[in-house]
Amino acid sequence: MNTSNYSHLNILDLPNEILVMIISKLNMVDVLYSLVDVNERFNRLIFDPLYIHHLDMTINSSLDHIISIDKQISRICEKILSRIQHQIKRLTVEPHSIKPILSFNYSLLYSLSLVNFPELILLQYFTDLPVSVYNLPPPNFTSSTLTNLKIHVEIIDDCLDLLDGSLNCLSTLIIKITQISSTISNTDNITKLPKLKYFSLISYNYTSYYDDLVCPLLHRMINLEELKLYLFVRRFDSIYIDGIQLYDQILIYMLRLNKFTFSIKTRVVNKNMRINLSSNENIQRSFIGKKYGQVDSYVHTRSTETNGECHIYSFPYEFEYFHDLNISFPGGMFHNVRNLMMVDTRPFEHKLFKLISQDFPFLQHLYIYNDESRKYKEDSFPFITFP
């Protein structure tokens, strides 16, 4: 039914009960576009909190009307959503409307439904395109009811802003940060977060701010029950992160923690002082007696004994990604890994590829970055099969 001519139909004298029944059967986009501001009576009915608490922005239209659809969505965002955004509790959107509609602040929102999204487009919005909470105008991201949040953000300031008290019921936060660099905000990184029970932090880029930003953030989570970390840390004139440091810098502040899953790689460059870096045997000993469960590790020494890398991870390995694997990799079974990145200046030899084909049985993507070619001809060894 086309509602564009409703103002010319003889429906203005119908009882409220009949009008509500008619409105409830119509597409929400058509209702908002065609009936809002027809008169005060229509506005009271359409903007009734009982009617608009679930905003369904799907459109039953053909692709031939895409220009008209864009016009409808644009008008609704400009003239209407600003008036009702704080009343919406459930929201349903399609691909063509997600950007403008999600630019508003829905303080009571507890349910977001995404329909007709092709998988690649969905992954683009929620994996490849991180949002930046820090850049939003105030009020930016607030909710008094949200308890679980999974989000990909651009910088550490976004994470700090999410935990500034505006999400005061948050108990689970799963966050991926593109870059953990120096903070440019004045957001509090001291106030405790007693309601947070589960925290997962993933960042694929190396950071030099583990000690200055990440550890203080974790110190605030005094009642945390489960912690998951996937980090790459760069340190200068220092030592590797090991079991003793993890305990002294993180776990000692979390008395209720009962599960700690981690993959942390430390790259150390010592220029101004000579510091002998730990061997893999010393790294393994640092985890003894501290209730970590099984932990694996390997150390990769660079050109001098004072520069190197150390990868420590809880086992069995629970992450889908394994980055920066080098020629010192000792092996082990990694059933959850789907994406593997191999990086080294020295050549990867046949025996390492054979080991990887066996130890990563469900691998789907393999990336290889290598500065030197192999020492032996390709026909010197048999082919390797990846399952």
Side-chain angles (χ1 to χ4, degrees):
M1 180 182 295
N2 188 348
T3 63
S4 60
N5 295 318
Y6 272 6
S7 60
H8 304 292
L9 298 178
N10 189 22
I11 65 171
L12 299 179
D13 294 329
L14 291 174
N16 282 356
E17 294 80 3
I18 303 299
L19 281 176
V20 169
M21 184 180 300
I22 293 174
I23 291 173
S24 64
K25 299 298 183 182
L26 298 176
N27 180 271
M28 176 63 79
V29 174
D30 288 335
V31 170
L32 293 176
Y33 184 76
S34 303
L35 300 183
V36 165
D37 292 336
V38 169
N39 59 36
E40 283 297 324
R41 182 171 172 238
F42 270 36
N43 279 359
R44 285 195 301 271
L45 291 175
I46 295 171
F47 289 153
D48 188 314
L50 294 177
Y51 177 62
I52 64 168
H53 73 279
H54 180 194
L55 184 60
D56 187 343
M57 298 301 295
T58 58
I59 299 176
N60 298 320
S61 302
S62 67
L63 293 177
D64 295 335
H65 301 114
I66 191 66
I67 297 178
S68 176
I69 291 173
D70 289 341
K71 183 179 179 181
Q72 287 179 327
I73 296 297
S74 177
R75 180 177 184 271
I76 290 171
C77 290
E78 181 181 355
K79 302 293 185 181
I80 300 170
L81 280 183
S82 60
R83 299 156 64 178
I84 65 174
Q85 56 182 316
H86 298 298
Q87 298 173 259
I88 297 171
K89 297 180 180 179
R90 299 168 60 195
L91 184 61
T92 302
V93 295
E94 290 180 306
H96 55 261
S97 62
I98 184 171
K99 279 188 176 181
I101 289 177
L102 291 188
S103 64
F104 291 87
N105 176 37
Y106 304 97
S107 57
L108 295 181
L109 187 70
Y110 66 84
S111 173
L112 174 63
S113 300
L114 308 173
V115 298
N116 299 326
F117 273 81
E119 182 178 357
L120 291 179
I121 294 179
L122 189 65
L123 290 175
Q124 179 184 13
Y125 277 112
F126 291 95
T127 304
D128 296 333
L129 296 178
V131 300
S132 181
V133 179
Y134 179 75
N135 292 327
L136 293 178
N140 44 36
F141 199 91
T142 61
S143 173
S144 59
T145 58
L146 187 68
T147 59
N148 297 267
L149 176 62
K150 183 177 182 179
I151 191 170
H152 183 184
V153 298
E154 188 68 39
I155 55 178
I156 185 68
D157 299 87
D158 296 317
C159 178
L160 298 179
D161 281 358
L162 288 171
L163 297 174
D164 68 351
S166 55
L167 303 176
N168 51 21
C169 289
L170 197 65
S171 62
T172 296
L173 176 58
I174 301 171
I175 189 165
K176 182 190 296 183
I177 304 179
T178 299
Q179 184 65 56
I180 302 176
S181 56
S182 59
T183 179
I184 56 178
S185 73
N186 296 319
T187 307
D188 174 27
N189 198 20
I190 299 176
T191 303
K192 305 304 181 186
L193 302 166
K195 292 188 177 181
L196 200 62
K197 306 297 183 183
Y198 178 95
F199 181 64
S200 172
L201 173 59
I202 294 177
S203 184
Y204 299 133
N205 293 314
Y206 275 93
T207 177
S208 301
Y209 293 88
Y210 168 82
D211 299 280
D212 296 332
L213 292 178
V214 176
C215 287
L217 174 63
L218 297 175
H219 294 170
R220 302 166 59 190
M221 305 174 186
I222 55 176
N223 291 325
L224 209 65
E225 297 175 359
E226 185 170 348
L227 174 62
K228 199 168 188 177
L229 298 176
Y230 189 96
L231 297 171
F232 293 85
V233 179
R234 183 185 294 108
R235 282 179 162 183
F236 300 93
D237 299 322
S238 185
I239 59 176
Y240 298 134
I241 297 173
D242 61 9
I244 295 174
Q245 287 197 37
L246 285 181
Y247 183 81
D248 292 342
Q249 292 183 318
I250 298 178
L251 301 191
I252 198 172
Y253 296 89
M254 302 175 179
L255 300 181
R256 299 188 179 183
L257 193 71
N258 53 49
K259 184 176 181 180
F260 182 28
T261 306
F262 61 90
S263 173
I264 302 175
K265 186 164 188 177
T266 316
R267 177 176 293 171
V268 172
V269 178
N270 292 326
K271 293 183 178 180
N272 300 317
M273 61 182 67
R274 182 176 180 83
I275 301 176
N276 291 325
L277 297 175
S278 297
S279 65
N280 194 54
E281 290 75 15
N282 289 334
I283 295 293
Q284 283 290 308
R285 280 195 290 268
S286 70
F287 288 94
I288 297 176
K290 295 183 176 58
K291 299 182 180 180
Y292 282 104
Q294 185 177 353
V295 176
D296 212 340
S297 65
Y298 63 97
V299 169
H300 186 59
T301 304
R302 293 294 181 178
S303 56
T304 67
E305 294 182 357
T306 57
N307 294 347
E309 299 171 353
C310 176
H311 190 181
I312 56 176
Y313 43 91
S314 52
F315 210 82
Y317 192 86
E318 295 188 8
F319 300 95
E320 292 187 6
Y321 292 85
F322 196 111
H323 288 175
D324 279 16
L325 182 148
N326 54 50
I327 62 173
S328 298
F329 174 69
M333 292 304 299
F334 296 84
H335 289 99
N336 291 316
V337 175
R338 301 294 184 269
N339 295 269
L340 173 63
M341 181 183 296
M342 303 171 62
V343 180
D344 207 323
T345 57
R346 287 172 281 187
F348 295 121
E349 300 297 341
H350 182 274
K351 62 180 180 180
L352 180 59
F353 287 107
K354 181 64 174 178
L355 183 67
I356 290 172
S357 70
Q358 298 169 349
D359 291 357
F360 296 86
F362 300 103
L363 192 63
Q364 295 176 352
H365 304 280
L366 176 61
Y367 306 89
I368 303 172
Y369 300 87
N370 202 203
D371 288 350
E372 297 183 19
S373 61
R374 292 167 52 192
K375 297 179 181 178
Y376 307 102
K377 296 181 179 180
E378 293 184 1
D379 57 0
S380 301
F381 298 99
F383 287 113
I384 297 174
T385 301
F386 287 83

